[in-house]
Amino acid sequence: MKTESLEICGSCKFEVEIYEDTNSYLTLEYTEYSSDHWHSDSVTEIDIDKEKGAEIVAFLTKHLGL
């Protein structure tokens, strides 16, 4: 397995896991850092499939003039 990531900001990134024998898995990961030491950080992962990826690309293309 190989992993690649694209940092959006310090607590948010796209991450893809690439397997030789199967497809790749893309997630959007967001880390919410705890404000005190009594609570742990919270990580949220959202799976991005091919259709959602196409929507993201179309949205960025439209609104950023790519």
Side-chain angles (χ1 to χ4, degrees):
M1 176 185 74
K2 180 181 171 186
T3 303
E4 293 181 21
S5 63
L6 172 65
E7 186 175 311
I8 298 170
C9 66
S11 60
C12 187
K13 66 181 177 180
F14 282 110
E15 184 168 279
V16 64
E17 294 177 352
I18 304 164
Y19 297 91
E20 289 184 27
D21 58 343
T22 61
N23 293 332
S24 299
Y25 296 97
L26 177 66
T27 58
L28 175 64
E29 295 184 6
Y30 174 75
T31 303
E32 183 176 356
Y33 296 104
S34 176
S35 59
D36 62 54
H37 65 279
W38 296 105
H39 298 90
S40 60
D41 296 342
S42 174
V43 177
T44 301
E45 295 182 9
I46 301 168
D47 292 330
I48 306 293
D49 60 15
K50 188 174 184 176
E51 291 78 21
K52 185 55 70 177
E55 288 179 38
I56 292 168
V57 169
F59 184 85
L60 293 174
T61 300
K62 177 181 177 182
H63 295 288
L64 295 178
L66 302 175

